[in-house]
Structure formats: structure tokens, C-alpha cells
């Protein structure tokens, strides 16, 4: 009897490990395929969106509506010679694109896609992502220094200054969410923002109003409305992710009008393609993170309104096929909407100067992030 009792926890642990391993093996290839496929869709979309905004046609010659343009570019990159400058530090030069690529794609390991489909259910997923998102700066510095090119080095130095600086307000806004939700687990954060939460949600987070919106679900349970200050935090978060991704108007490390191509000036062929792929993968990663932290993750935006149970109808029960389909659909819809906003910003605002970039970070966003963090702490104490 005692022997059976001692084996039971081991049996449960083995089942948990096998169950978790199955979902990890299923989720990781899905995220890798999604990120790779996003580059195809994202590059074509950006070309067409920018062309529409500037009243031009964009790619038109290769395939119907220019759909084969990206594949033509890929074929061209495959045929190009992989050139390593004679005076370059060969080890750093060759390793840098791989390091940037791996560091960005490793971030998808902890992302939840549906209520039960997640690469890794790490309890410190947010902390892991903060470390991963900032690690690509090491690869960028290696690329700039190893190229033995002054323009590459200038681009790398700009990238170090930009990414490290904007990590401060970025981390502060993420800490606001962590402080309100009291967890670092991304899947737990997701459950708190929908009808399947075990916590009581009040309208705009104001317990004094006494309006319980837990059963409403939808957008009323999202973090940007659970605490009104988190909407401002998300705006700061979005600006910081543009800087983390080297996206315009924060594309100073790649400022072609000033430093040719920045840190990737000397790269060609597939190594340049890896750097290009990593930029779009970073856009996707930070959009996923923003959607999970602020925009309800895989939860539906449609609330229950009286007898019209929109949240119930458009949210599948966790673990069911409908749950996977609806969860994945809502999360990807939010992610691609944020990516579209990133493209919109790029083709709307001009590139800012270095001093303007630093002024915005240290004198505007960082103080605002500190104030929001203080408000979030007080809010958590008073509203519980």
C-alpha cells in the first residue's frame, strides 16, 4: 500500500512531463513556421501598405500583384556570394547573424498561442523574455565590431545606446502589468484577462464602483481597462518596441542616409537575409508580447451583453478544438493589427536625430514609466 502511494506522485510527474513535452514539441514548430511565414507576408504587406500610403503601386511585375517578388529576392540572395572582408574579425563577423537570429527566435519559446498550446509554461516567462529581447544587441555589436568598417561600428554603437536606453521604460511598463497581475507567467496573465479568470474584475479596476465585469469578459477584462493607467503604459511600451526592433522612426542603427547600412553594411547573401529575417521576427515577437500583456492575449474582444453571450460564443473551452481555433484567431488578429500599426508609423514619421531619441527616452518615457510604476503599486494596494 505504501509502495503504491509512493509511486503515485512519480506517475503524476511522468504524465505531466509527457503532456508538457507533447505541447512543447507541437508549439515550437508552429511558432517557428509562423515567424518564418510572417516574413513572407510581412515584407509583401509592408511594400504594398507603404505604396498605398505614398500613392504608388509597389511590386507588380513578378507574379500576380507582385506576389512572387519576395521569392525573387530570396532567390537573388541565395545566388549572391557570401563575402567576408579581408580585415574583418572572421569569427565575430560570421557568428553575429546567427546569434541575432537565435536570440530573437528563442523568445517565442514561452509565448502562449491558445489556452492550452504553449511552448514552455515557465513561471518566469516575462523575465525570460526581457532577457531575450535585449540579447540581440550583443550580436549587433559583434556584427559592427567584427566588420572592421567605421559605418558598421557607428551603427553598432547607436544600437547599443538605443536598445539599452529604451529597455528601461520598456521594463518599467512591463513591471506595471506584473505588479497589477502579480505573476510572471504569460499563460496566467492570459487567463486573468477573460471569462475563465478566477479573479474578480471590476469596471476600469474600480472596486468602489461595485460593477463586476468578470462575467462580461471581452475587452472589459483586458489589462488596458482593468487599470486605466495601463493604457498609457501600453503606448509607452509600443514606442519602446519600435526602438527595440530598430524600426522607423528609431532606425538610426541602420540609417542609410548617414551610415550606408549601419551594422550590416558588409553583409551579403544569406547572412544579410538572416539579419533581415531577424528584424521582422522581432517585430512579431514584441507584438505578441504586447498582445499578451495588455490586449487580452488569446481572449475574445467581444463581451457578454445581457442575454447576448458574445464572449461565451467566441471563446472556446480550454483544451477543445474550438478553444484552439478561437484562441489562435484572436491572438494572431491582435498581433497582426499591431504589426500593421508598426508599418503605419514607419511610413508616416521621419527618422529622428540621436539627441531627440535620447531626450525622448531619458527625459520623457523613463520618468513617465516610473510614475506609472508608482501608481500601479498604489493601485494594487488600494484595489485588492
Amino acid at each position: 500500500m505504501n509502495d503504491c502511494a509512493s509511486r503515485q506522485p512519480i506517475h503524476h510527474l511522468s504524465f505531466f512531463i509527457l503532456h508538457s513535452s507533447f505541447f512543447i514539441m507541437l508549439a515550437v514548430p508552429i511558432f517557428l513556421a509562423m515567424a518564418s511565414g510572417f516574413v513572407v507576408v510581412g515584407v509583401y504587406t509592408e511594400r504594398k501598405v507603404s505604396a498605398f500610403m505614398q500613392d504608388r503601386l509597389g511590386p507588380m511585375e513578378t507574379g500576380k500583384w507582385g506576389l512572387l517578388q519576395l521569392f525573387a529576392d530570396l532567390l537573388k540572395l541565395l545566388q549572391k556570394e557570401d563575402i567576408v572582408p579581408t580585415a574583418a574579425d572572421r569569427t565575430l563577423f560570421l557568428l553575429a547573424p546567427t546569434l541575432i537570429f537565435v536570440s530573437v527566435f528563442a523568445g517565442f519559446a514561452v509565448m502562449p498561442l491558445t489556452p492550452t498550446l504553449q511552448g514552455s509554461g515557465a513561471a518566469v516567462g516575462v523575465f525570460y523574455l526581457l532577457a531575450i529581447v535585449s540579447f540581440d544587441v550583443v550580436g549587433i555589436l559583434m556584427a559592427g565590431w567584427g566588420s572592421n568598417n567605421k559605418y558598421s561600428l557607428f551603427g553598432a554603437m547607436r544600437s547599443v545606446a538605443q536598445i539599452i536606453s529604451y529597455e528601461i521604460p520598456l521594463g518599467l511598463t512591463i513591471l506595471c502589468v506584473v505588479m497589477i497581475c502579480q505573476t510572471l507567467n504569460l499563460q496566467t496573465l492570459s487567463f486573468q484577462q477573460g471569462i475563465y479568470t478566477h479573479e474578480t474584475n471590476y469596471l476600469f479596476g474600480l472596486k468602489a464602483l461595485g460593477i463586476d465585469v468578470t462575467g462580461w469578459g471581452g475587452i472589459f477584462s483586458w489589462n488596458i481597462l482593468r487599470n486605466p493607467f495601463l493604457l498609457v503604459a501600453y503606448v509607452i511600451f509600443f514606442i519602446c518596441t519600435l526602438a527595440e526592433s530598430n524600426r522607423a522612426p528609431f532606425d538610426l542603427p541602420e540609417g542609410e542616409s548617414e551610415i550606408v547600412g549601419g551594422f550590416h553594411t558588409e553583409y551579403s547573401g544569406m547572412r544579410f537575409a538572416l539579419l533581415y529575417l531577424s528584424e521582422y521576427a522581432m517585430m512579431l515577437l514584441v507584438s505578441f508580447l504586447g498582445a499578451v500583456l495588455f490586449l487580452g492575449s488569446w481572449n475574445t474582444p467581444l463581451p457578454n451583453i445581457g442575454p447576448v453571450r458574445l464572449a461565451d460564443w467566441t471563446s472556446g473551452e480550454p483544451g477543445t478544438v474550438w478553444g484552439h481555433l478561437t484562441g489562435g484567431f484572436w491572438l494572431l488578429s491582435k498581433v497582426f493589427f499591431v504589426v500593421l500599426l508598426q508599418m503605419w508609423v514607419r511610413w508616416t514619421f521621419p527618422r529622428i536625430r540621436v539627441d531627440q531619441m535620447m531626450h525622448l527616452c531619458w527625459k520623457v518615457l523613463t520618468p513617465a514609466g516610473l510614475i506609472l510604476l508608482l501608481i500601479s503599486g498604489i493601485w494594487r494596494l488600494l484595489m485588492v
Side-chain angles (χ1 to χ4, degrees):
M1 183 69 179
N2 292 334
D3 185 53
C4 293
S6 64
R7 290 176 183 171
Q8 191 173 10
I10 298 176
H11 172 73
H12 287 321
L13 179 61
S14 302
F15 175 78
F16 173 75
I17 293 173
L18 289 173
H19 187 263
S20 302
S21 301
F22 170 76
F23 280 109
I24 290 174
M25 289 188 294
L26 183 63
V28 171
I30 289 176
F31 274 114
L32 287 176
M34 186 188 308
S36 303
F38 167 73
V39 177
V40 178
V41 177
V43 173
Y44 178 79
T45 303
E46 181 152 23
R47 285 172 170 172
K48 283 296 188 181
V49 168
S50 61
F52 173 77
M53 296 180 69
Q54 298 174 353
D55 196 22
R56 54 188 177 85
L57 295 177
M60 290 294 292
E61 301 299 323
T62 49
K64 185 71 171 177
W65 303 305
L67 286 169
L68 298 180
Q69 182 62 52
L70 184 68
F71 299 99
D73 292 340
L74 180 61
L75 184 62
K76 177 186 70 174
L77 288 170
L78 285 169
Q79 294 175 337
K80 280 192 172 184
E81 183 180 358
D82 183 17
I83 300 172
V84 180
T86 305
D89 186 318
R90 188 177 182 87
T91 303
L92 294 181
F93 185 85
L94 296 179
L95 186 60
T98 305
L99 182 61
I100 296 172
F101 177 83
V102 170
S103 64
V104 173
F105 273 80
F108 290 98
V110 294
M111 282 296 174
L113 185 59
T114 70
T116 51
L117 185 59
Q118 183 181 16
S120 170
V124 290
V126 175
F127 179 76
Y128 168 82
L129 266 176
L130 279 173
I132 286 297
V133 167
S134 61
F135 192 68
D136 70 325
V137 72
V138 178
I140 292 174
L141 184 59
M142 288 170 57
W145 181 265
S147 295
N148 194 34
N149 179 304
K150 63 180 180 181
Y151 297 116
S152 298
L153 184 58
F154 287 157
M157 291 294 103
R158 285 183 177 188
S159 182
V160 170
Q162 176 173 299
I163 294 179
I164 291 179
S165 297
Y166 276 85
E167 279 174 5
I168 306 300
L170 177 71
L172 290 174
T173 56
I174 293 175
L175 282 176
C176 291
V177 177
V178 171
M179 191 173 290
I180 295 295
C181 299
Q182 295 290 292
T183 180
L184 290 169
N185 189 308
L186 291 168
Q187 192 67 287
T188 304
L189 280 165
S190 301
F191 272 104
Q192 288 183 8
Q193 300 178 71
I195 58 176
Y196 299 114
T197 181
H198 297 295
E199 297 187 358
T200 302
N201 289 327
Y202 295 96
L203 184 62
F204 303 125
L206 296 171
K207 191 174 182 180
L209 292 178
I211 304 176
D212 186 351
V213 298
T214 308
W216 296 11
I219 195 172
F220 293 103
S221 296
W222 294 4
N223 277 332
I224 55 173
L225 288 184
R226 290 179 70 198
N227 180 339
F229 300 105
L230 289 185
L231 180 57
V232 181
Y234 178 68
V235 174
I236 296 176
F237 174 89
F238 179 77
I239 294 172
C240 293
T241 56
L242 292 177
E244 292 287 319
S245 306
N246 291 331
R247 296 285 297 178
F250 301 97
D251 58 340
L252 289 166
E254 307 168 11
E256 67 277 357
S257 62
E258 307 160 25
I259 50 176
V260 190
F263 63 89
H264 55 64
T265 297
E266 297 291 350
Y267 285 93
S268 61
M270 284 308 296
R271 296 191 189 278
F272 173 79
L274 271 182
L275 295 172
Y276 198 64
L277 176 66
S278 300
E279 179 179 321
Y280 276 83
M282 178 63 87
M283 289 173 58
L284 188 67
L285 179 62
V286 295
S287 298
F288 260 107
L289 181 58
V292 172
L293 292 177
F294 296 94
L295 304 179
S297 189
W298 36 258
N299 290 291
T300 176
L302 305 175
N304 291 324
I305 306 173
V308 183
R309 314 297 293 177
L310 295 177
D312 294 340
W313 299 337
T314 56
S315 296
E317 189 73 23
T320 63
V321 175
W322 181 242
H324 286 305
L325 292 176
T326 55
F329 171 77
W330 289 122
L331 180 57
L332 292 178
S333 298
K334 297 167 188 175
V335 168
F336 290 133
F337 175 73
V338 175
V339 169
L340 190 61
L341 284 180
Q342 292 177 330
M343 295 178 181
W344 187 6
V345 168
R346 174 180 180 179
W347 296 101
T348 303
F349 296 100
R351 182 183 299 129
I352 61 176
R353 300 193 311 265
V354 176
D355 61 306
Q356 292 173 328
M357 176 191 72
M358 288 303 180
H359 179 275
L360 177 65
C361 175
W362 290 107
K363 294 189 176 182
V364 179
L365 299 184
T366 299
L370 288 169
I371 293 171
L372 287 170
L373 185 63
L374 176 62
I375 292 173
S376 298
I378 296 172
W379 187 278
R380 180 68 189 181
L381 289 173
L382 296 179
M383 296 301 167
V384 173

